[in-house]
Amino acid sequence: MSGTDGADLARFSINQMTVKQLSLPELADACGASGVTHVGLWREPVQAYGVEATARLMRDAGLTVTTLCRGGFLTAIDADARAAALADNRRAVDEAAALGTDTVVMVSGGLPAGSRDLRGARERIADALAALGPYAEAHGVRLAIEALHPMYASDRCVVSTLAQALDLAERFPACQVGVTVDAYHIWWDDTAPEQIARAGAGGRIHSFQLGDWTTPLPEGVLNGRGQIGDGAIDMREWLGHVTAAGYTGPIEVELFNERLWARDGREVLAETAARFLDHVLR
Amino acid sequence: MSGTDGADLARFSINQMTVKQLSLPELADACGASGVTHVGLWREPVQAYGVEATARLMRDAGLTVTTLCRGGFLTAIDADARAAALADNRRAVDEAAALGTDTVVMVSGGLPAGSRDLRGARERIADALAALGPYAEAHGVRLAIEALHPMYASDRCVVSTLAQALDLAERFPACQVGVTVDAYHIWWDDTAPEQIARAGAGGRIHSFQLGDWTTPLPEGVLNGRGQIGDGAIDMREWLGHVTAAGYTGPIEVELFNERLWARDGREVLAETAARFLDHVLR
């Protein structure tokens, strides 16, 4: 863990969730100390700190916001719930614009209680994107549909593969809707490389994220994403796929991990940057 | 929970793991009491009871063995480990033949320790099948590659989709190698129906299994398979897919579930048969 310099970290972005134990001012300070210039932010802590205040904090620290996580949750059947979800996603777009990022990561939502209709849920996402896409474009923001690992299909995200994400995104202009490519969620999928090529050809890779696959998965399977290099995913291979597809944007490391959260956040940030250099770039 | 009669349960098979708290004689007896005539067995309890003794017990109880679970674990790199795996799989074939079932369910194995090479692991499975297929055929047994849910890709089974399973199986004659279609593992996959059609067209649906998807998943994600009807999977839809593909064989319910194992096994068996009638057939 050494030799992190600005040039090597030029594409590295730390997703706020990876070091959620840090307050926003602490995050900004720790980024400065580690030579990190990109951050992916989450709506809840940003709202708690204030959107304008966060934008100012990031600007003053010389930090660029690569993504805002997250919009989505668009699978409700009930009309009131659907209207509320659309309104909330418009707010996410407003927040992204205020923060100066052009990308809102979209986690589409799971099956409504009692439903077994994956196809219907996916269609409702498309309906919602039709309403949200023009609003996002008008604010200079792109919606980046994230395929989540199939283990989340029932309760979090019915979009389980990059192909499904692209089937949705391609109904809309790329300046409105694209995809998030997150190796954690798609590493097992031997068709993902060709789907990354498809996404790149359409100019739809709006975000690229990394997290490592470690087992055993914890109860609920949410907070077991491994530090880069600790798991089964060949990070260079996935960077190679998006690079071959023409992607030159930020590389965001987003980990949900109770053990990382229990540690000193500054140390975790420095470690993550070092792992990025060792396992992604070199 | 009523009205279970022999005709309705004619295609129902109870996988031994669903009621693993029952000894083999208890299982045979409980099947008689519930009108169940098909069982899927597991190697470890069969070996403990004795293969020939189990075969006699099943025969005397009028039970047909639909599958033997499981062969596989063919991804090792080390030559000795590979030779041991091949020998063990030949024994599985011998045991299946002795039990009178024509199907060994194959769980292919995960990544070897420290490896990140999914493609290489999948190729080693093909190499092993080339050695095992003719042996199985000579004993009247078919190897049924099971795609396991992608959440098992690193530590249990690098074959994560039905398409991957068929890509492997189709290198060999259908009388040697086919697939197990288990709705629990593939329900999230919108391409699975066309893959089931592909499997049916090739005469490769050697086993059809059901389990329901319930959340939250437990730590390790192995023993959280829900009772039929408790979860997100539309059982009739998946039966419809295999039926459209020409499958007329047994429908095996295989649940790994700590809560079911903590209950009276006879009660769980009767409940499972009743759920099958309510959620799969009617």
Side-chain angles (χ1 to χ4, degrees), chain B residues 30-187:
Chain B
C31 283
S34 288
V36 173
T37 57
H38 296 309
V39 292
L41 297 181
W42 278 67
R43 294 183 67 198
E44 294 76 4
V46 166
Q47 289 168 353
Y49 191 79
V51 178
E52 288 304 332
T54 303
R56 204 161 42 238
L57 179 71
M58 296 295 122
R59 226 168 22 237
D60 291 349
L63 288 167
T64 302
V65 180
T66 51
T67 61
L68 181 63
C69 302
R70 56 194 180 182
F73 297 95
L74 302 170
T75 53
I77 294 171
D78 172 73
D80 288 348
R82 292 186 61 70
L86 290 178
D88 187 56
N89 276 276
R90 288 191 196 97
R91 276 193 299 275
V93 168
D94 297 343
E95 292 161 9
L99 292 167
T101 177
D102 61 359
T103 303
V104 172
V105 174
M106 303 288 281
V107 171
S108 297
L111 289 171
S115 171
R116 296 187 173 108
D117 181 10
L118 285 171
R119 259 187 305 273
R122 290 172 185 145
E123 276 310 305
R124 289 193 297 280
I125 297 165
D127 291 345
L129 292 171
L132 293 171
Y135 185 87
E137 185 181 9
H139 290 76
V141 171
R142 307 168 308 178
L143 308 175
I145 304 173
E146 182 166 16
L148 256 58
H149 192 285
M151 68 189 175
Y152 302 119
S154 72
D155 58 359
R156 194 165 297 268
C157 184
V158 296
V159 179
S160 301
T161 64
L162 195 47
Q164 291 171 357
L166 284 164
D167 287 347
L168 281 168
E170 288 174 353
R171 301 192 196 187
F172 309 98
C175 58
Q176 293 182 1
V177 186
V179 297
T180 294
V181 175
D182 186 331
Y184 182 81
H185 295 297
I186 63 173
W187 74 282

Side-chain angles (χ1 to χ4, degrees), chain A residues 116 122 164 190 217 220 229 231, chain B residues 116 164 188 190 217 220 229 231:
Chain A
R116 297 187 173 107
R122 291 172 184 146
Q164 290 172 355
D190 59 341
L217 292 163
Chain B
R116 296 187 173 108
Q164 291 171 357
W188 54 271
D190 59 341
L217 293 164

Side-chain angles (χ1 to χ4, degrees), chain B residues 195-274:
Chain B
Q195 296 301 321
I196 289 174
R198 171 185 167 192
R204 292 184 192 268
I205 305 178
H206 292 347
S207 171
F208 177 51
Q209 298 184 330
L210 297 175
D212 215 340
W213 183 267
T214 51
T215 57
L217 293 164
E219 183 183 0
V221 302
L222 191 58
N223 300 327
R225 300 193 197 174
Q227 177 59 280
I228 302 300
D230 282 352
I233 303 177
D234 185 333
M235 299 293 161
R236 289 180 197 84
E237 180 188 331
W238 292 97
L239 176 58
H241 291 313
V242 295
T243 302
Y247 183 76
T248 57
I251 304 166
E252 200 170 304
V253 176
E254 183 194 48
L255 309 177
F256 294 38
N257 185 309
E258 299 282 359
R259 270 177 296 202
L260 295 180
W261 294 335
R263 290 170 50 194
D264 176 74
R266 291 168 170 273
E267 184 189 301
V268 173
L269 175 54
E271 176 185 281
T272 306

Side-chain angles (χ1 to χ4, degrees), chain A residues 5-242:
Chain A
D5 66 49
D8 285 345
L9 289 175
R11 293 180 67 194
F12 174 73
S13 176
I14 185 76
N15 185 283
Q16 179 174 19
M17 190 59 86
T18 307
V19 286
K20 75 167 183 175
Q21 62 272 53
L22 297 178
S23 70
L24 278 161
E26 287 169 345
L27 174 64
D29 190 57
C31 284
S34 288
V36 173
T37 58
H38 296 310
V39 292
L41 296 180
W42 278 67
R43 293 183 67 200
E44 295 75 3
V46 166
Q47 288 168 355
Y49 191 80
V51 177
E52 289 304 332
T54 303
R56 204 161 42 239
L57 179 69
M58 296 295 121
R59 226 169 20 238
D60 291 349
L63 288 166
T64 302
V65 181
T66 52
T67 62
L68 181 62
C69 301
R70 56 196 182 180
F73 297 96
L74 301 169
T75 54
I77 295 171
D78 172 72
D80 287 349
R82 292 186 61 70
L86 290 178
D88 187 56
N89 276 276
R90 287 190 197 96
R91 276 193 299 277
V93 167
D94 297 343
E95 292 161 10
L99 293 167
T101 177
D102 61 359
T103 303
V104 172
V105 174
M106 303 289 280
V107 172
S108 296
L111 289 172
S115 171
R116 297 187 173 107
D117 181 10
L118 285 172
R119 261 186 304 272
R122 291 172 184 146
E123 275 312 304
R124 289 193 296 281
I125 297 165
D127 291 346
L129 292 172
L132 294 171
Y135 185 86
E137 185 181 10
H139 290 75
V141 171
R142 307 169 307 179
L143 308 175
I145 305 173
E146 182 165 16
L148 256 58
H149 193 284
M151 68 189 175
Y152 302 118
S154 72
D155 59 358
R156 194 166 297 268
C157 185
V158 296
V159 179
S160 303
T161 63
L162 195 49
Q164 290 172 355
L166 284 165
D167 287 347
L168 282 168
E170 288 174 354
R171 302 192 196 187
F172 309 97
C175 58
Q176 292 182 2
V177 186
V179 296
T180 293
V181 175
D182 187 330
Y184 182 81
H185 295 298
I186 62 173
W187 73 282
W188 53 271
D189 182 358
D190 59 341
T191 71
E194 73 200 60
Q195 296 300 321
I196 289 174
R198 170 185 168 193
R204 291 183 193 271
I205 304 178
H206 291 348
S207 171
F208 177 51
Q209 298 184 331
L210 297 175
D212 215 339
W213 184 267
T214 50
T215 56
L217 292 163
E219 183 183 359
V221 301
L222 192 59
N223 301 327
R225 301 194 197 173
Q227 177 60 279
I228 303 301
D230 281 352
I233 302 177
D234 185 333
M235 299 293 161
R236 288 180 198 85
E237 179 188 333
W238 292 97
L239 176 59
H241 291 313
V242 296

